[in-house]
Amino acid sequence: AALAVAIIRALDDHFKLGLSNEEINRLAYESETLVHGDASGIDNTLATYGKFVLFKRGTPPEMKEIKIHQPIPIVIGLSGVESLTAKMVSNVRRAWENNKRLYERIFKEIDELVMQSVDALADNNLEQLGELMNINQGLLNALQVSSPELEELIEISRRNGALGAKLTGAGGGGAMVAICPQGAEKVAFAIRKSGYKAFVTEIGKSVSKESSIISE
Amino acid sequence: AALAVAIIRALDDHFKLGLSNEEINRLAYESETLVHGDASGIDNTLATYGKFVLFKRGTPPEMKEIKIHQPIPIVIGLSGVESLTAKMVSNVRRAWENNKRLYERIFKEIDELVMQSVDALADNNLEQLGELMNINQGLLNALQVSSPELEELIEISRRNGALGAKLTGAGGGGAMVAICPQGAEKVAFAIRKSGYKAFVTEIGKSVSKESSIISE
């Protein structure tokens, strides 16, 4: 999605099309749908606006910008295994169809964790946010979208001081994210020592130059 | 607990003490308490009676024998990492104290899974039992008592045909159990090929020679 937005912005700039963020987002969503078959719309939205957003799928999707007190240092660890979104989505869908009541309890629990995380961010309570991420990771594990490599990255991060760590994206491979307000470099170093790739960045800094058009 | 029961039975036999199962269980519980500080009583009970038992801690504990249709082939995989019961219990207790509402939702969910598993066993629905084990494993992961080695063993088992796989015991290391009504040997072989120890056995066969005194 980030690549789609970047390419659309580059074409917009080159051909002087004067696309609005809304149009860029819509075009990126269309390219996401072509790639994944059934895109949620969250990735293209985040890549377009570059902000912290609470997102709920729908037509139109519900979006709410989340303000945070200060940028949060994070470490991204790469499992080295490709994450196949379409495959993970269809696995979860099949399991849900066989066990709707059970799976819907897990989905509801994840929803509640997300809403509690918004409160934790509002309170700048990063310890609580970390705990919520750790529990969320367990629920994703219950949905069988984790992997041994992701679990190893997550354990290395927690053991080296991350307040919380979870897979990010579709799972089954791909990346994990750890929040590390102290010692992000230490976490990244430990990950690299175990043979994985890691990089340090932060979330919560606005990266879009245009002002947000996302409704509050 | 199994070792304690075996030693007590051997002493009982050697000194012709004529201990009842109830006495053997009580003595084994006392040795468990010495080792773990705060034993649940489940391990010594299962080792004494050698039956499938639904167990709830208490004074006295609630116990109910579970009848199953036929023995279920399982694979036990050993992580090669020591499982420190006292450490895992105190970690979970600390996390629970910091986040009671959140943790108690998880405990309640685990309780419900256990009760659903009793139904799955009564129906001889091993696919459902496996699914419940997989979700239970995710909830144990949320409580942070899993480990990368256990996750690897679990993934190997599922990928090779196990209907469900989860850690067994205190976690953080120790063992995992996979139910494998077809192809237990294949699962064990795949585990061994990845450098772990595995053995094939079955659950649900009565091993105690005395008739059960567990109340129904």
mmCIF file of all heavy atoms in Angstrom, chain A residues 99 102-103 105-106 109 112-113 116 128 131-132 134-135 138-139 141-142 144 148 151-152 155 158, chain B residues 99 102-103 105-106 109 112-113 116 128 131-132 134-135 138-139 141-142 144 148 151-152 155 158:
data_model
loop_
_atom_site.group_PDB
_atom_site.id
_atom_site.type_symbol
_atom_site.label_atom_id
_atom_site.label_comp_id
_atom_site.label_asym_id
_atom_site.label_seq_id
_atom_site.Cartn_x
_atom_site.Cartn_y
_atom_site.Cartn_z
ATOM 1 N N ASN A 99 -16.447 -22.729 13.136
ATOM 2 C CA ASN A 99 -16.529 -22.529 14.579
ATOM 3 C C ASN A 99 -16.924 -21.094 14.897
ATOM 4 O O ASN A 99 -16.232 -20.401 15.643
ATOM 5 C CB ASN A 99 -15.143 -22.789 15.192
ATOM 6 C CG ASN A 99 -15.102 -24.100 15.938
ATOM 7 O OD1 ASN A 99 -15.933 -24.314 16.826
ATOM 8 N ND2 ASN A 99 -14.177 -24.953 15.578
ATOM 9 N N LEU A 102 -17.068 -19.614 18.602
ATOM 10 C CA LEU A 102 -15.737 -19.561 19.217
ATOM 11 C C LEU A 102 -14.908 -18.416 18.630
ATOM 12 O O LEU A 102 -14.316 -17.604 19.365
ATOM 13 C CB LEU A 102 -15.058 -20.900 18.933
ATOM 14 C CG LEU A 102 -13.869 -21.326 19.749
ATOM 15 C CD1 LEU A 102 -14.234 -21.360 21.217
ATOM 16 C CD2 LEU A 102 -13.427 -22.727 19.299
ATOM 17 N N TYR A 103 -14.877 -18.348 17.304
ATOM 18 C CA TYR A 103 -14.058 -17.332 16.666
ATOM 19 C C TYR A 103 -14.605 -15.935 16.906
ATOM 20 O O TYR A 103 -13.843 -14.981 17.059
ATOM 21 C CB TYR A 103 -13.907 -17.634 15.162
ATOM 22 C CG TYR A 103 -12.737 -18.547 14.925
ATOM 23 C CD1 TYR A 103 -12.823 -19.910 15.204
ATOM 24 C CD2 TYR A 103 -11.511 -18.052 14.502
ATOM 25 C CE1 TYR A 103 -11.741 -20.750 15.056
ATOM 26 C CE2 TYR A 103 -10.411 -18.887 14.347
ATOM 27 C CZ TYR A 103 -10.533 -20.229 14.622
ATOM 28 O OH TYR A 103 -9.440 -21.043 14.479
ATOM 29 N N ARG A 105 -16.048 -14.858 19.520
ATOM 30 C CA ARG A 105 -15.621 -14.423 20.856
ATOM 31 C C ARG A 105 -14.206 -13.825 20.795
ATOM 32 O O ARG A 105 -13.909 -12.818 21.440
ATOM 33 C CB ARG A 105 -15.640 -15.591 21.844
ATOM 34 C CG ARG A 105 -17.010 -15.901 22.420
ATOM 35 C CD ARG A 105 -16.940 -16.326 23.887
ATOM 36 N NE ARG A 105 -16.028 -17.431 24.127
ATOM 37 C CZ ARG A 105 -16.393 -18.724 24.105
ATOM 38 N NH1 ARG A 105 -17.643 -19.073 23.861
ATOM 39 N NH2 ARG A 105 -15.505 -19.672 24.352
ATOM 40 N N ILE A 106 -13.347 -14.489 20.013
ATOM 41 C CA ILE A 106 -11.961 -13.977 19.877
ATOM 42 C C ILE A 106 -11.970 -12.627 19.162
ATOM 43 O O ILE A 106 -11.273 -11.683 19.572
ATOM 44 C CB ILE A 106 -11.092 -14.981 19.080
ATOM 45 C CG1 ILE A 106 -11.193 -16.378 19.680
ATOM 46 C CG2 ILE A 106 -9.659 -14.474 18.972
ATOM 47 C CD1 ILE A 106 -10.155 -16.751 20.664
ATOM 48 N N GLU A 109 -13.054 -9.993 21.515
ATOM 49 C CA GLU A 109 -11.983 -9.705 22.480
ATOM 50 C C GLU A 109 -10.928 -8.791 21.839
ATOM 51 O O GLU A 109 -10.436 -7.854 22.482
ATOM 52 C CB GLU A 109 -11.367 -11.033 22.937
ATOM 53 C CG GLU A 109 -10.272 -10.930 23.966
ATOM 54 C CD GLU A 109 -10.753 -10.459 25.326
ATOM 55 O OE1 GLU A 109 -11.924 -10.686 25.656
ATOM 56 O OE2 GLU A 109 -9.950 -9.835 26.040
ATOM 57 N N GLU A 112 -12.207 -5.291 21.723
ATOM 58 C CA GLU A 112 -12.133 -4.630 23.022
ATOM 59 C C GLU A 112 -10.709 -4.190 23.345
ATOM 60 O O GLU A 112 -10.488 -3.100 23.894
ATOM 61 C CB GLU A 112 -12.666 -5.561 24.122
ATOM 62 C CG GLU A 112 -14.175 -5.711 24.040
ATOM 63 C CD GLU A 112 -14.762 -6.500 25.217
ATOM 64 O OE1 GLU A 112 -14.158 -6.489 26.307
ATOM 65 O OE2 GLU A 112 -15.815 -7.131 25.020
ATOM 66 N N LEU A 113 -9.743 -5.042 22.986
ATOM 67 C CA LEU A 113 -8.335 -4.677 23.215
ATOM 68 C C LEU A 113 -7.966 -3.415 22.443
ATOM 69 O O LEU A 113 -7.250 -2.556 22.947
ATOM 70 C CB LEU A 113 -7.408 -5.814 22.768
ATOM 71 C CG LEU A 113 -7.312 -7.052 23.635
ATOM 72 C CD1 LEU A 113 -6.346 -8.043 23.006
ATOM 73 C CD2 LEU A 113 -6.845 -6.710 25.044
ATOM 74 N N GLN A 116 -9.360 -0.424 24.194
ATOM 75 C CA GLN A 116 -8.573 -0.150 25.406
ATOM 76 C C GLN A 116 -7.216 0.467 25.057
ATOM 77 O O GLN A 116 -6.675 1.267 25.824
ATOM 78 C CB GLN A 116 -8.365 -1.432 26.214
ATOM 79 C CG GLN A 116 -9.609 -1.896 26.957
ATOM 80 C CD GLN A 116 -9.392 -3.220 27.671
ATOM 81 O OE1 GLN A 116 -8.425 -3.384 28.406
ATOM 82 N NE2 GLN A 116 -10.263 -4.168 27.438
ATOM 83 N N GLN A 128 0.702 -0.129 29.754
ATOM 84 C CA GLN A 128 -0.602 -0.750 29.485
ATOM 85 C C GLN A 128 -0.733 -1.078 27.992
ATOM 86 O O GLN A 128 -1.195 -2.162 27.623
ATOM 87 C CB GLN A 128 -1.733 0.193 29.937
ATOM 88 C CG GLN A 128 -3.143 -0.278 29.621
ATOM 89 C CD GLN A 128 -3.609 -1.444 30.477
ATOM 90 O OE1 GLN A 128 -2.865 -1.948 31.307
ATOM 91 N NE2 GLN A 128 -4.835 -1.893 30.247
ATOM 92 N N GLU A 131 1.166 -4.240 27.304
ATOM 93 C CA GLU A 131 0.431 -5.407 27.800
ATOM 94 C C GLU A 131 -0.696 -5.789 26.831
ATOM 95 O O GLU A 131 -0.910 -6.967 26.529
ATOM 96 C CB GLU A 131 -0.143 -5.057 29.180
ATOM 97 C CG GLU A 131 -0.775 -6.191 29.909
ATOM 98 C CD GLU A 131 0.230 -7.205 30.432
ATOM 99 O OE1 GLU A 131 1.442 -6.892 30.481
ATOM 100 O OE2 GLU A 131 -0.204 -8.312 30.748
ATOM 101 N N LEU A 132 -1.400 -4.766 26.347
ATOM 102 C CA LEU A 132 -2.503 -5.019 25.399
ATOM 103 C C LEU A 132 -1.972 -5.623 24.098
ATOM 104 O O LEU A 132 -2.595 -6.509 23.513
ATOM 105 C CB LEU A 132 -3.278 -3.725 25.142
ATOM 106 C CG LEU A 132 -4.071 -3.200 26.344
ATOM 107 C CD1 LEU A 132 -4.454 -1.726 26.142
ATOM 108 C CD2 LEU A 132 -5.316 -4.041 26.593
ATOM 109 N N ASN A 134 0.696 -7.481 23.868
ATOM 110 C CA ASN A 134 1.089 -8.868 24.156
ATOM 111 C C ASN A 134 -0.126 -9.794 24.160
ATOM 112 O O ASN A 134 -0.064 -10.915 23.647
ATOM 113 C CB ASN A 134 1.812 -8.938 25.507
ATOM 114 C CG ASN A 134 3.181 -8.279 25.448
ATOM 115 O OD1 ASN A 134 3.777 -8.159 24.377
ATOM 116 N ND2 ASN A 134 3.681 -7.831 26.600
ATOM 117 N N ILE A 135 -1.216 -9.321 24.742
ATOM 118 C CA ILE A 135 -2.420 -10.161 24.769
ATOM 119 C C ILE A 135 -2.996 -10.289 23.361
ATOM 120 O O ILE A 135 -3.425 -11.360 22.936
ATOM 121 C CB ILE A 135 -3.435 -9.605 25.779
ATOM 122 C CG1 ILE A 135 -2.797 -9.697 27.182
ATOM 123 C CG2 ILE A 135 -4.761 -10.373 25.708
ATOM 124 C CD1 ILE A 135 -3.729 -9.635 28.333
ATOM 125 N N GLY A 138 -1.338 -12.968 21.539
ATOM 126 C CA GLY A 138 -1.833 -14.290 21.907
ATOM 127 C C GLY A 138 -3.119 -14.629 21.168
ATOM 128 O O GLY A 138 -3.323 -15.758 20.724
ATOM 129 N N LEU A 139 -3.989 -13.630 21.023
ATOM 130 C CA LEU A 139 -5.246 -13.877 20.309
ATOM 131 C C LEU A 139 -4.977 -14.124 18.820
ATOM 132 O O LEU A 139 -5.631 -14.965 18.194
ATOM 133 C CB LEU A 139 -6.218 -12.721 20.519
ATOM 134 C CG LEU A 139 -6.634 -12.505 21.994
ATOM 135 C CD1 LEU A 139 -7.509 -11.270 22.127
ATOM 136 C CD2 LEU A 139 -7.348 -13.719 22.551
ATOM 137 N N ASN A 141 -2.286 -15.493 17.771
ATOM 138 C CA ASN A 141 -1.756 -16.859 17.801
ATOM 139 C C ASN A 141 -2.910 -17.870 17.829
ATOM 140 O O ASN A 141 -2.872 -18.896 17.146
ATOM 141 C CB ASN A 141 -0.860 -17.009 19.039
ATOM 142 C CG ASN A 141 -0.194 -18.381 19.134
ATOM 143 O OD1 ASN A 141 -0.866 -19.382 19.295
ATOM 144 N ND2 ASN A 141 1.117 -18.414 19.026
ATOM 145 N N ALA A 142 -3.951 -17.541 18.601
ATOM 146 C CA ALA A 142 -5.134 -18.419 18.650
ATOM 147 C C ALA A 142 -5.779 -18.533 17.269
ATOM 148 O O ALA A 142 -6.301 -19.590 16.909
ATOM 149 C CB ALA A 142 -6.146 -17.895 19.664
ATOM 150 N N GLN A 144 -4.187 -18.606 14.668
ATOM 151 C CA GLN A 144 -3.157 -19.309 13.887
ATOM 152 C C GLN A 144 -2.605 -18.475 12.728
ATOM 153 O O GLN A 144 -2.401 -18.984 11.620
ATOM 154 C CB GLN A 144 -3.661 -20.676 13.430
ATOM 155 C CG GLN A 144 -3.898 -21.592 14.627
ATOM 156 C CD GLN A 144 -4.474 -22.927 14.232
ATOM 157 O OE1 GLN A 144 -3.901 -23.646 13.432
ATOM 158 N NE2 GLN A 144 -5.639 -23.257 14.790
ATOM 159 N N PRO A 148 6.574 -19.509 14.184
ATOM 160 C CA PRO A 148 7.691 -19.646 15.127
ATOM 161 C C PRO A 148 8.705 -18.500 15.010
ATOM 162 O O PRO A 148 9.229 -18.047 16.022
ATOM 163 C CB PRO A 148 8.326 -20.980 14.737
ATOM 164 C CG PRO A 148 7.200 -21.762 14.140
ATOM 165 C CD PRO A 148 6.368 -20.739 13.409
ATOM 166 N N GLU A 151 7.256 -15.518 16.716
ATOM 167 C CA GLU A 151 7.284 -15.734 18.171
ATOM 168 C C GLU A 151 8.701 -15.534 18.713
ATOM 169 O O GLU A 151 8.876 -15.004 19.808
ATOM 170 C CB GLU A 151 6.778 -17.142 18.514
ATOM 171 C CG GLU A 151 5.309 -17.396 18.179
ATOM 172 C CD GLU A 151 4.324 -16.614 19.060
ATOM 173 O OE1 GLU A 151 4.707 -16.169 20.157
ATOM 174 O OE2 GLU A 151 3.173 -16.434 18.629
ATOM 175 N N GLU A 152 9.708 -15.940 17.941
ATOM 176 C CA GLU A 152 11.086 -15.757 18.413
ATOM 177 C C GLU A 152 11.440 -14.265 18.461
ATOM 178 O O GLU A 152 11.993 -13.785 19.454
ATOM 179 C CB GLU A 152 12.069 -16.516 17.513
ATOM 180 C CG GLU A 152 13.494 -16.468 18.073
ATOM 181 C CD GLU A 152 14.515 -17.214 17.243
ATOM 182 O OE1 GLU A 152 14.165 -17.772 16.179
ATOM 183 O OE2 GLU A 152 15.694 -17.224 17.661
ATOM 184 N N GLU A 155 9.724 -12.760 21.432
ATOM 185 C CA GLU A 155 10.352 -13.081 22.721
ATOM 186 C C GLU A 155 11.670 -12.331 22.896
ATOM 187 O O GLU A 155 11.954 -11.813 23.986
ATOM 188 C CB GLU A 155 10.582 -14.587 22.884
ATOM 189 C CG GLU A 155 11.160 -14.842 24.277
ATOM 190 C CD GLU A 155 11.343 -16.299 24.633
ATOM 191 O OE1 GLU A 155 10.364 -16.877 25.100
ATOM 192 O OE2 GLU A 155 12.464 -16.830 24.478
ATOM 193 N N ARG A 158 10.762 -8.745 23.937
ATOM 194 C CA ARG A 158 10.282 -8.613 25.314
ATOM 195 C C ARG A 158 11.426 -8.827 26.301
ATOM 196 O O ARG A 158 11.551 -8.116 27.287
ATOM 197 C CB ARG A 158 9.160 -9.631 25.583
ATOM 198 C CG ARG A 158 7.880 -9.327 24.814
ATOM 199 C CD ARG A 158 6.825 -10.405 25.084
ATOM 200 N NE ARG A 158 5.650 -10.257 24.243
ATOM 201 C CZ ARG A 158 4.808 -11.253 23.965
ATOM 202 N NH1 ARG A 158 5.002 -12.460 24.466
ATOM 203 N NH2 ARG A 158 3.752 -11.035 23.198
ATOM 204 N N ASN B 99 -3.443 -6.151 35.895
ATOM 205 C CA ASN B 99 -4.448 -6.036 34.837
ATOM 206 C C ASN B 99 -5.572 -7.025 35.052
ATOM 207 O O ASN B 99 -5.895 -7.830 34.182
ATOM 208 C CB ASN B 99 -3.782 -6.360 33.493
ATOM 209 C CG ASN B 99 -3.563 -5.116 32.665
ATOM 210 O OD1 ASN B 99 -4.516 -4.364 32.437
ATOM 211 N ND2 ASN B 99 -2.345 -4.903 32.243
ATOM 212 N N LEU B 102 -8.557 -7.571 32.474
ATOM 213 C CA LEU B 102 -8.099 -8.138 31.205
ATOM 214 C C LEU B 102 -7.767 -9.622 31.369
ATOM 215 O O LEU B 102 -8.213 -10.472 30.583
ATOM 216 C CB LEU B 102 -6.850 -7.355 30.797
ATOM 217 C CG LEU B 102 -6.352 -7.411 29.377
ATOM 218 C CD1 LEU B 102 -7.458 -7.008 28.429
ATOM 219 C CD2 LEU B 102 -5.146 -6.483 29.227
ATOM 220 N N TYR B 103 -6.996 -9.944 32.412
ATOM 221 C CA TYR B 103 -6.572 -11.327 32.606
ATOM 222 C C TYR B 103 -7.748 -12.227 32.964
ATOM 223 O O TYR B 103 -7.800 -13.375 32.550
ATOM 224 C CB TYR B 103 -5.444 -11.402 33.641
ATOM 225 C CG TYR B 103 -4.100 -11.220 32.985
ATOM 226 C CD1 TYR B 103 -3.683 -9.956 32.590
ATOM 227 C CD2 TYR B 103 -3.292 -12.304 32.670
ATOM 228 C CE1 TYR B 103 -2.482 -9.779 31.925
ATOM 229 C CE2 TYR B 103 -2.084 -12.131 32.009
ATOM 230 C CZ TYR B 103 -1.683 -10.875 31.642
ATOM 231 O OH TYR B 103 -0.505 -10.714 30.966
ATOM 232 N N ARG B 105 -10.737 -12.002 31.954
ATOM 233 C CA ARG B 105 -11.454 -12.349 30.715
ATOM 234 C C ARG B 105 -10.783 -13.544 30.047
ATOM 235 O O ARG B 105 -11.454 -14.443 29.529
ATOM 236 C CB ARG B 105 -11.484 -11.150 29.757
ATOM 237 C CG ARG B 105 -12.588 -10.159 30.059
ATOM 238 C CD ARG B 105 -13.190 -9.541 28.796
ATOM 239 N NE ARG B 105 -12.221 -8.980 27.884
ATOM 240 C CZ ARG B 105 -11.813 -7.704 27.897
ATOM 241 N NH1 ARG B 105 -12.295 -6.853 28.774
ATOM 242 N NH2 ARG B 105 -10.939 -7.261 27.029
ATOM 243 N N ILE B 106 -9.455 -13.536 30.022
ATOM 244 C CA ILE B 106 -8.716 -14.657 29.404
ATOM 245 C C ILE B 106 -8.945 -15.950 30.204
ATOM 246 O O ILE B 106 -9.186 -17.018 29.627
ATOM 247 C CB ILE B 106 -7.199 -14.360 29.347
ATOM 248 C CG1 ILE B 106 -6.928 -13.002 28.690
ATOM 249 C CG2 ILE B 106 -6.434 -15.494 28.665
ATOM 250 C CD1 ILE B 106 -6.689 -13.023 27.239
ATOM 251 N N GLU B 109 -12.301 -17.296 29.451
ATOM 252 C CA GLU B 109 -12.314 -17.877 28.109
ATOM 253 C C GLU B 109 -11.694 -19.283 28.137
ATOM 254 O O GLU B 109 -12.215 -20.212 27.504
ATOM 255 C CB GLU B 109 -11.535 -16.948 27.169
ATOM 256 C CG GLU B 109 -11.478 -17.374 25.716
ATOM 257 C CD GLU B 109 -12.816 -17.294 25.009
ATOM 258 O OE1 GLU B 109 -13.658 -16.485 25.417
ATOM 259 O OE2 GLU B 109 -13.011 -18.070 24.066
ATOM 260 N N GLU B 112 -14.119 -21.707 29.604
ATOM 261 C CA GLU B 112 -15.160 -22.082 28.635
ATOM 262 C C GLU B 112 -14.646 -23.087 27.614
ATOM 263 O O GLU B 112 -15.348 -24.031 27.243
ATOM 264 C CB GLU B 112 -15.712 -20.832 27.935
ATOM 265 C CG GLU B 112 -16.571 -20.002 28.877
ATOM 266 C CD GLU B 112 -17.261 -18.841 28.169
ATOM 267 O OE1 GLU B 112 -17.508 -18.923 26.949
ATOM 268 O OE2 GLU B 112 -17.542 -17.845 28.849
ATOM 269 N N LEU B 113 -13.392 -22.880 27.162
ATOM 270 C CA LEU B 113 -12.797 -23.833 26.211
ATOM 271 C C LEU B 113 -12.717 -25.229 26.825
ATOM 272 O O LEU B 113 -12.971 -26.229 26.148
ATOM 273 C CB LEU B 113 -11.385 -23.385 25.813
ATOM 274 C CG LEU B 113 -11.244 -22.199 24.882
ATOM 275 C CD1 LEU B 113 -9.772 -21.925 24.641
ATOM 276 C CD2 LEU B 113 -11.950 -22.450 23.568
ATOM 277 N N GLN B 116 -16.069 -26.809 26.792
ATOM 278 C CA GLN B 116 -16.415 -27.217 25.425
ATOM 279 C C GLN B 116 -15.639 -28.466 25.014
ATOM 280 O O GLN B 116 -16.128 -29.290 24.232
ATOM 281 C CB GLN B 116 -16.136 -26.081 24.442
ATOM 282 C CG GLN B 116 -17.178 -24.966 24.502
ATOM 283 C CD GLN B 116 -16.817 -23.796 23.605
ATOM 284 O OE1 GLN B 116 -16.542 -23.972 22.430
ATOM 285 N NE2 GLN B 116 -16.805 -22.600 24.145
ATOM 286 N N GLN B 128 -13.005 -30.912 16.508
ATOM 287 C CA GLN B 128 -13.398 -29.808 17.387
ATOM 288 C C GLN B 128 -12.445 -29.728 18.581
ATOM 289 O O GLN B 128 -12.009 -28.640 18.967
ATOM 290 C CB GLN B 128 -14.848 -30.012 17.857
ATOM 291 C CG GLN B 128 -15.349 -28.991 18.875
ATOM 292 C CD GLN B 128 -15.594 -27.613 18.277
ATOM 293 O OE1 GLN B 128 -15.344 -27.369 17.091
ATOM 294 N NE2 GLN B 128 -16.048 -26.691 19.109
ATOM 295 N N GLU B 131 -9.284 -28.030 17.463
ATOM 296 C CA GLU B 131 -9.491 -26.585 17.300
ATOM 297 C C GLU B 131 -9.467 -25.885 18.665
ATOM 298 O O GLU B 131 -8.867 -24.823 18.826
ATOM 299 C CB GLU B 131 -10.850 -26.376 16.614
ATOM 300 C CG GLU B 131 -11.155 -24.979 16.202
ATOM 301 C CD GLU B 131 -10.321 -24.499 15.042
ATOM 302 O OE1 GLU B 131 -9.714 -25.339 14.334
ATOM 303 O OE2 GLU B 131 -10.238 -23.273 14.850
ATOM 304 N N LEU B 132 -10.135 -26.507 19.635
ATOM 305 C CA LEU B 132 -10.164 -25.939 20.989
ATOM 306 C C LEU B 132 -8.764 -25.911 21.595
ATOM 307 O O LEU B 132 -8.386 -24.943 22.270
ATOM 308 C CB LEU B 132 -11.129 -26.737 21.875
ATOM 309 C CG LEU B 132 -12.608 -26.602 21.498
ATOM 310 C CD1 LEU B 132 -13.440 -27.713 22.146
ATOM 311 C CD2 LEU B 132 -13.162 -25.232 21.896
ATOM 312 N N ASN B 134 -5.994 -25.622 19.880
ATOM 313 C CA ASN B 134 -5.251 -24.567 19.173
ATOM 314 C C ASN B 134 -5.596 -23.190 19.729
ATOM 315 O O ASN B 134 -4.720 -22.331 19.898
ATOM 316 C CB ASN B 134 -5.542 -24.622 17.671
ATOM 317 C CG ASN B 134 -4.943 -25.858 17.014
ATOM 318 O OD1 ASN B 134 -3.972 -26.426 17.535
ATOM 319 N ND2 ASN B 134 -5.516 -26.276 15.898
ATOM 320 N N ILE B 135 -6.865 -22.967 20.008
ATOM 321 C CA ILE B 135 -7.268 -21.664 20.554
ATOM 322 C C ILE B 135 -6.755 -21.529 21.982
ATOM 323 O O ILE B 135 -6.262 -20.474 22.390
ATOM 324 C CB ILE B 135 -8.795 -21.496 20.453
ATOM 325 C CG1 ILE B 135 -9.178 -21.489 18.959
ATOM 326 C CG2 ILE B 135 -9.251 -20.203 21.145
ATOM 327 C CD1 ILE B 135 -10.500 -20.914 18.643
ATOM 328 N N GLY B 138 -3.309 -20.341 21.968
ATOM 329 C CA GLY B 138 -3.204 -18.893 21.747
ATOM 330 C C GLY B 138 -3.455 -18.121 23.037
ATOM 331 O O GLY B 138 -2.786 -17.115 23.312
ATOM 332 N N LEU B 139 -4.408 -18.576 23.828
ATOM 333 C CA LEU B 139 -4.690 -17.886 25.094
ATOM 334 C C LEU B 139 -3.519 -18.064 26.064
ATOM 335 O O LEU B 139 -3.169 -17.135 26.801
ATOM 336 C CB LEU B 139 -6.002 -18.390 25.696
ATOM 337 C CG LEU B 139 -7.238 -18.121 24.816
ATOM 338 C CD1 LEU B 139 -8.483 -18.733 25.459
ATOM 339 C CD2 LEU B 139 -7.462 -16.631 24.592
ATOM 340 N N ASN B 141 -0.487 -18.350 25.063
ATOM 341 C CA ASN B 141 0.491 -17.419 24.486
ATOM 342 C C ASN B 141 0.201 -15.999 24.980
ATOM 343 O O ASN B 141 1.117 -15.249 25.314
ATOM 344 C CB ASN B 141 0.410 -17.509 22.958
ATOM 345 C CG ASN B 141 1.437 -16.639 22.254
ATOM 346 O OD1 ASN B 141 1.396 -15.421 22.350
ATOM 347 N ND2 ASN B 141 2.363 -17.250 21.551
ATOM 348 N N ALA B 142 -1.085 -15.649 25.049
ATOM 349 C CA ALA B 142 -1.457 -14.313 25.549
ATOM 350 C C ALA B 142 -1.000 -14.137 27.001
ATOM 351 O O ALA B 142 -0.623 -13.035 27.403
ATOM 352 C CB ALA B 142 -2.971 -14.116 25.448
ATOM 353 N N GLN B 144 1.613 -15.296 28.073
ATOM 354 C CA GLN B 144 3.071 -15.319 27.957
ATOM 355 C C GLN B 144 3.717 -16.490 28.691
ATOM 356 O O GLN B 144 4.732 -16.335 29.363
ATOM 357 C CB GLN B 144 3.664 -13.976 28.407
ATOM 358 C CG GLN B 144 3.277 -12.860 27.437
ATOM 359 C CD GLN B 144 3.743 -11.502 27.896
ATOM 360 O OE1 GLN B 144 4.930 -11.294 28.096
ATOM 361 N NE2 GLN B 144 2.822 -10.571 28.075
ATOM 362 N N PRO B 148 9.301 -19.753 21.934
ATOM 363 C CA PRO B 148 9.529 -20.008 20.501
ATOM 364 C C PRO B 148 9.703 -21.494 20.187
ATOM 365 O O PRO B 148 9.223 -21.965 19.153
ATOM 366 C CB PRO B 148 10.809 -19.219 20.202
ATOM 367 C CG PRO B 148 10.822 -18.116 21.216
ATOM 368 C CD PRO B 148 10.227 -18.723 22.465
ATOM 369 N N GLU B 151 6.339 -23.066 20.219
ATOM 370 C CA GLU B 151 5.601 -22.647 19.017
ATOM 371 C C GLU B 151 6.091 -23.403 17.787
ATOM 372 O O GLU B 151 5.290 -23.746 16.915
ATOM 373 C CB GLU B 151 5.737 -21.131 18.804
ATOM 374 C CG GLU B 151 5.096 -20.267 19.894
ATOM 375 C CD GLU B 151 3.567 -20.334 19.922
ATOM 376 O OE1 GLU B 151 2.953 -20.733 18.932
ATOM 377 O OE2 GLU B 151 2.992 -19.998 20.989
ATOM 378 N N GLU B 152 7.399 -23.678 17.731
ATOM 379 C CA GLU B 152 7.926 -24.410 16.576
ATOM 380 C C GLU B 152 7.402 -25.855 16.578
ATOM 381 O O GLU B 152 6.948 -26.366 15.543
ATOM 382 C CB GLU B 152 9.458 -24.386 16.581
ATOM 383 C CG GLU B 152 10.023 -25.000 15.299
ATOM 384 C CD GLU B 152 11.544 -24.962 15.223
ATOM 385 O OE1 GLU B 152 12.191 -24.472 16.165
ATOM 386 O OE2 GLU B 152 12.069 -25.454 14.199
ATOM 387 N N GLU B 155 3.811 -25.809 15.523
ATOM 388 C CA GLU B 155 3.610 -25.611 14.078
ATOM 389 C C GLU B 155 3.990 -26.853 13.282
ATOM 390 O O GLU B 155 3.276 -27.245 12.353
ATOM 391 C CB GLU B 155 4.377 -24.401 13.557
ATOM 392 C CG GLU B 155 4.047 -24.200 12.082
ATOM 393 C CD GLU B 155 4.648 -22.982 11.454
ATOM 394 O OE1 GLU B 155 4.033 -21.905 11.558
ATOM 395 O OE2 GLU B 155 5.734 -23.086 10.834
ATOM 396 N N ARG B 158 1.087 -29.331 13.641
ATOM 397 C CA ARG B 158 -0.109 -28.980 12.862
ATOM 398 C C ARG B 158 0.145 -29.171 11.380
ATOM 399 O O ARG B 158 -0.698 -29.678 10.645
ATOM 400 C CB ARG B 158 -0.509 -27.528 13.147
ATOM 401 C CG ARG B 158 -1.036 -27.302 14.559
ATOM 402 C CD ARG B 158 -1.334 -25.823 14.784
ATOM 403 N NE ARG B 158 -1.682 -25.536 16.171
ATOM 404 C CZ ARG B 158 -1.574 -24.328 16.733
ATOM 405 N NH1 ARG B 158 -1.147 -23.296 16.028
ATOM 406 N NH2 ARG B 158 -1.913 -24.148 17.999
#
